[in-house]
């Protein structure tokens, strides 16, 4: 038996960042699967939202304008999702433009680092998968590593080459946590800390992060996400409650064979959580 599909899916990607389906195709797939309210949250980019909105009107699905902002915090990369943002807001647009600006230079450094461990042609290889020239992502390098037979799947590409501390990893300075929250709030959106269980932080750093995020104006954290194991749903649900943060749920869908979870493939929030959709 297949699992019931969640009404809300508040995290997804299209070809405007590192997803493999166009914005309209993501919306159509979500609607076909039974999702009723979808947030498209491309990395540092809102240019897919107009196409998604037009498709959502046809499909009878509610589109929530979203974005996923890359952040540097004490040497770690974090992601902050903005929900119900105004995609025309100049503060948000300028911040995102700046955040995207470093990606091409970083891609050259990643290719050079891979070359040093004997993997040539990575820039050209990754570029073949890029669908928005301003948005080269490590996901595109991962696709190149898989398709050229260096690794068996995307996860292994990150574990061996692209993840923090691996030979193809290049440290990069993204927006600060405060900037990301400010841009989202300036555009009247809600700031949500994405997949908190993915960051390599001990308990003390986790508490510091949640406290700082809330104090800077963050509203919620992802509790149910494709990046968490079922054990982590309960843990992060309790952390959200303890910090007075609302709970969000999103698949982080990138494509049918790319992601752990398909659109809407999300169990209910653990009991005791206050869902963020009551504020949307
Ligand atoms: P970037 O923003 O260029 O650093 O790339 C981050 C993207 O790489 C994420 O949004 C995911 O699409 C992908 N990614 C990061 N870590 C992993 C991982 N461990 N396994 C699979 N994909 C990952
Ligand atoms: Mn991605
Ligand atoms: Mn993310
Ligand atoms: Mn994402």
């Amino acid at each position: 038996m297949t699992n019931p599909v969640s009404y809300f899916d508040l995290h997804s990607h299209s070809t405007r960042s590192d997803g493999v389906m166009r914005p309209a195709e993501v919306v159509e797939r979500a609607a076909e699967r039974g999702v009723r309210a979808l947030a498209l949250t491309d990395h540092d980019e809102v240019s897919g939202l107009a196409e998604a909105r037009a498709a959502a009107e046809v499909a009878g699905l509610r589109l929530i304008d979203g974005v996923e902002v890359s952040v540097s915090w004490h040497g770690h990369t974090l992601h902050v999702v903005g929900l119900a943002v105004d995609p025309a807001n100049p503060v948000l647009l300028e911040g995102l433009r700046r955040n995207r600006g470093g990606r091409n230079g970083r891609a050259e450094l990643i290719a050079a680092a891979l070359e040093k461990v004997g993997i040539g042609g990575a820039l050209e290889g990754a570029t073949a998968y890029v669908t928005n020239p301003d948005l080269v992502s490590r996901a595109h390098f991962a696709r190149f590593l898989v398709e050229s037979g260096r690794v068996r799947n995307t996860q292994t590409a990150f574990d061996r080459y692209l993840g923090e501390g691996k030979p193809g990893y290049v440290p990069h300075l993204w927006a600060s946590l405060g900037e990301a929250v400010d841009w989202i709030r300036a555009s009247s959106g809600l700031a949500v800390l994405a997949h908190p269980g993915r960051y390599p932080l001990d308990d003390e750093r986790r508490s510091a992060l949640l406290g700082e995020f809330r104090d800077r104006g963050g509203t919620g954290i992802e509790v149910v996400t494709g990046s968490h194991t079922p054990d982590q749903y309960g843990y992060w649900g309790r952390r959200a409650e303890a910090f007075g943060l609302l709970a969000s749920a999103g698949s982080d869908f990138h494509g049918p064979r790319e992601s752990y979870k398909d659109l809407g493939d999300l169990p209910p929030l653990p009991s005791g959580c206050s869902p963020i959709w009551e504020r949307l």
Side-chain angles (χ1 to χ4, degrees):
M1 208 182 94
T2 51
N3 294 323
V5 162
S6 171
Y7 189 105
F8 290 92
D9 187 335
L10 300 179
H11 190 149
S12 67
H13 294 273
S14 76
T15 46
R16 295 311 297 157
S17 62
D18 55 6
V20 301
M21 297 173 78
R22 293 185 53 82
E25 293 170 328
V26 176
V27 167
E28 284 153 16
R29 184 182 184 93
E32 279 164 15
R33 290 180 48 80
V35 173
R36 308 295 303 280
L38 174 78
L40 181 67
T41 55
D42 277 312
H43 297 284
D44 303 315
E45 178 67 279
V46 289
S47 65
L49 293 171
E51 179 183 317
R53 179 155 300 283
E57 274 160 26
V58 175
L61 171 146
R62 177 170 165 215
L63 180 79
I64 292 154
D65 287 321
V67 66
E68 183 172 20
V69 183
S70 312
V71 163
S72 293
W73 187 78
H74 299 284
H76 296 286
T77 298
L78 312 177
H79 287 168
V80 176
V81 162
L83 295 176
V85 295
D86 169 7
N89 180 275
V91 173
L92 178 67
L93 288 173
E94 175 54 24
L96 296 179
R97 194 189 60 74
R98 224 179 70 209
N99 226 18
R100 284 194 302 271
R103 280 186 177 268
N104 283 317
R106 183 186 71 144
E108 287 175 20
L109 297 175
I110 293 174
L114 288 171
E115 180 101 49
K116 281 201 183 134
V117 292
I119 299 177
L123 189 60
E124 298 69 26
T127 304
Y129 296 99
V130 169
T131 44
N132 171 354
D134 289 342
L135 219 299
V136 189
S137 155
R138 281 183 294 160
H140 300 115
F141 282 93
R143 274 168 217 160
F144 158 71
L145 291 170
V146 174
E147 295 304 322
S148 61
R150 263 84 170 193
V151 292
R152 146 169 61 82
N153 56 35
T154 308
Q155 187 55 51
T156 316
F158 279 86
D159 292 347
R160 284 214 203 130
Y161 293 109
L162 300 169
E164 236 171 85
K166 304 299 173 194
Y169 182 77
V170 174
H172 188 74
L173 195 62
W174 303 104
S176 70
L177 186 61
E179 284 172 322
V181 172
D182 287 351
W183 301 341
I184 291 165
R185 287 173 54 111
S187 72
S188 60
L190 303 178
V192 177
L193 183 66
H195 41 66
R198 219 164 82 181
Y199 313 128
L201 304 172
D202 61 22
D203 248 18
E204 197 180 321
R205 301 302 286 161
R206 282 176 177 170
S207 296
L209 171 59
L210 294 181
E212 184 179 335
F213 181 66
R214 182 199 52 205
D215 294 346
R216 289 189 184 279
T219 301
I221 69 171
E222 288 184 344
V223 170
V224 173
T225 143
S227 296
H228 286 173
T229 61
D231 291 351
Q232 287 177 305
Y233 302 156
Y235 172 84
W236 288 103
R238 289 191 298 277
R239 300 304 302 242
E241 247 190 296
F243 280 84
L245 289 157
L246 303 181
S248 188
S251 61
D252 207 354
F253 178 78
H254 282 70
R257 285 174 309 281
E258 289 274 328
S259 306
Y260 297 118
K261 286 193 173 293
D262 208 325
L263 291 159
D265 182 11
L266 300 162
L269 291 174
S271 61
C273 286
S274 307
I276 197 157
W277 40 87
E278 289 173 1
R279 295 273 302 275
L280 289 172

